[in-house]
Amino acid sequence: MNPNLTTHVGGYPRIGRKRELKQALEAFWAGRLDAASLDETARSLRLRHWQEQKDAGLDFVAVNDFSYYDNMLDLACVFGVVPERFGKADEPVTLDRYFRLARGRARKDGRPDVAPLELTKWFDTNYHYLVPELAAGQEFRFAWDKPVRELKEAIEAGHCAKVVLIGPVTFLALSKTPEGDPLEFTEKLLPAYRALLEALAAAGAEWVEIAEPILSTRKDAKVLAALQRVWSEQDGLASVKGLKFLLSVAFGPIGSALETVAALPVDGLQVDATRGQGDLPWLLKNWPVDRVLSLGVIDGRSIWRTNPETWRAVVATFREQRPQENLWLGSSCPLLHVPHDLGEETTIDPQLRSWLAFAKEKLAELVIVAAGEAPVDALAAARAAIASRKQHPGVHNTALRNTVAALDEKSARRGKPVTERVALQRERLGLPLFPTTSIGSFPQTAEIRALRARYRKGIDNEAAYQAGLDAALREVIRNQEKLGLDVLVHGEFERTDMVEFFGEKLEGVAVTANGWVQSYGSRCVKPPVIWGDITRPQPMTVEVSKRAQSLTEKPMKGMLTGPITILQWSWVRDDLSRSAVATQIALAVRAEVVDLEAAGIRVIQVDEPGLREGFPLDDADRAAYLEWAVRAFKIATSGVRDETQIHTHMCYAEFTDVAGAIAALDADVITLEASRSKMKALGAVLEGGILSEVGPGVWDIHSPRVPAVEEVSDLLRRALAVIPAERLWVNPDCGLKTRGWEETKASLKNLVAAAHVLREEHAAVAV
Ligand code: GLN
Ligand code: ZN
């Protein structure tokens, strides 16, 4: 009989099944919870999560996957990489200091602002890490024993621990330096990294997983040289006595770096067997049988149930080739990127539920694949669920598939060229020079959130809820009219989230009750699940837009989320290409756009903040992605007449490498985040050859700070250096839902005043 294979994961969700860590962190930041209580919450979460791994039957529990905010930040603190603005480098890492690095400090009691570390996307996940800042002569030392303490905690609780550390190459490659390549610090970091490992060894560590996900995206000479240096025989990591090292690579294949990796003195290698399937034949043939090979067979990037039989067959070929104790199984990446427990989903359709696996269910799947003796019942249950998914009528809508197949070039094209369209629109809308508008949402006050919650819980009936929304709507319109804005919005009070709102209304999409995934710090997202073919059974926003327009003479913008963003911020089915799914969403949005126009809405905004995020990890795949993404947007927006004005909006991104695609969207007006870059973002977008009108943000809405009139008009003048006055709009960087009313009114007032200043300046010039 075959033995069960050794199982482990590279990390488990840490926010808590009910987001307990989020609540504790936010209470601590607000001064409602003391440090000891925060620590206690964190400790109990770690213990519970280790216990879940053990109870599922895993051989190791992952240690040091926990973080109060982010593991890259943790490692920066471990090595004393703390920029000067946060105090002297040799000061201890207190919670206060740690959170200042993560969140900055607002101007209070005369103390200066301290900007936090920069936040950036972690590979192609929805998780964001804090970018360590290496100073010119950066020193590294083993300064914070957080990983060691957590190891001791796990050992004390009786667990077989595997410590997980971000590897030195990934840590440096993802850090930033004022100049030069951060990998040049490899030599200097090494002694500190070894000191950490020695402390772990002294505390009883045996296996340490050194995670080098950077190898999934970079296999260039610099990265490989750094890797070789880190593992050099004399004084590399492997020279630390008493530890066994599992090098791991998540998020993609190792590919051309396989030979280099195989030559490193590591005790084992863990690979992403899902995205890196192409590596498997090489590994089967070449990975030494006296070293551990760990296959990451359970997909940590998807919420779909695994077919364990497929993987058992793959694993069987490896079982034949090597001693069983040197064949391990894991997840393709840490389970941080999927929700915690499907057991929390009591309201979701039971059939759909049977198709899914969250982190806890993935542990069980792992054990099923690793089982020596075929677990007959479990395999049968998986088989039945997978079959029921294939046969479900909702996954294949023939009429829709035919419509998609019949789309032609005309289905993705407006009538006249953009310059002619905007001329028609200006006349029809009667807009002044430098038209003012906002991006869509207005403050989601406690009152608004309570209103939605009462409705959701069934305390308020439909009529009471609608009355509450209508009151908010009337007020937001009155406020915008008083402020003198030119194009108004309805405020989005009916929406918790710009994607979930549409997910609830579209056929083929389901929303979860508790499917939270950490995005950054205490922030989590709850992406809808796209499980079937997507259709729009009925209009989604027409009523509210129509009602809003009836309350004002000014143009009211219809407000939709675009197909690329809905796709990007959802879990996407794995049985249809992303481009095909995007096209289906595009048709649903198109129907909505057309209905809005028919209802008398003259300006329709289709938000696409997710465009840049959808970039595939491999540069070679970018062009194809942009092509279908742009087409989806154009399908969504080209069903209207030339005089109907299509806006789009983008934020949170570098626009440089999507500038051409932004131009290709062929929108009439594009608003974008630009204030923090002092209009550089506008320059980048214009590089793409965009001919439409543009509203570069002139108010950074990420903080409650009210920009002065002078500041706004200054930014506008900078914009005018690169764009003609006739094409410039005046608006904030993004939606205002996280802001309070007070700063919103004050800021918009200044924004409108600045537009007036510019109009006067311009009129004077024109005379
Ligand atoms: N219309 C949305 C809002 O104002 C846009 C949000 C976004 O760009 N992320 O909230
Ligand atoms: Zn935005």
Side-chain angles (χ1 to χ4, degrees), residues 205-355:
E206 190 196 356
W207 277 96
V208 178
E209 175 176 338
I210 304 286
E212 294 285 16
I214 193 70
L215 283 172
S216 70
T217 53
R218 284 187 58 186
K219 305 162 206 309
D220 52 275
K222 277 189 180 155
V223 160
L224 297 188
L227 194 68
Q228 283 166 328
R229 175 63 194 99
V230 161
W231 293 99
S232 63
E233 295 282 355
Q234 334 70 298
D235 62 350
L237 302 189
S239 68
V240 178
K241 295 280 168 296
L243 295 179
K244 289 187 184 150
F245 293 100
L246 181 73
L247 182 72
S248 74
V249 179
F251 306 128
I254 302 176
S256 62
L258 277 168
E259 304 256 354
T260 309
V261 166
L264 304 175
V266 295
D267 304 281
L269 174 68
Q270 141 91 20
V271 299
D272 176 348
T274 60
R275 291 182 175 187
Q277 279 209 35
D279 289 351
L280 298 187
W282 191 94
L283 292 165
L284 183 64
K285 211 166 131 223
N286 299 297
W287 187 256
V289 290
D290 59 349
R291 291 203 259 162
V292 168
L293 177 62
S294 175
L295 303 177
V297 294
I298 300 298
D299 191 348
R301 297 298 307 285
S302 126
I303 53 163
W304 301 104
R305 188 171 190 151
T306 289
N307 187 341
E309 278 166 315
T310 316
W311 284 114
R312 286 180 63 83
V314 173
V315 170
T317 61
F318 280 84
R319 277 188 185 261
E320 281 164 22
Q321 303 286 324
R322 49 195 310 117
Q324 316 287 290
E325 68 273 18
N326 284 346
L327 181 59
W328 294 9
L329 296 183
S331 55
S332 66
C333 66
L335 297 179
L336 176 68
H337 310 294
V338 290
H340 192 140
D341 184 356
L342 199 52
E344 298 287 325
E345 299 304 323
T346 49
T347 51
I348 204 166
D349 173 68
Q351 193 172 18
L352 170 59
R353 218 181 95 161
S354 77
W355 305 343

Side-chain angles (χ1 to χ4, degrees), residues 444 448-456 465 493 495-496:
Q444 297 247 337
I448 294 289
R449 275 177 285 149
L451 177 73
R452 275 200 310 258
R454 280 200 308 275
Y455 177 57
R456 207 177 46 237
Y465 175 58
F493 300 121
R495 308 181 188 178
T496 42

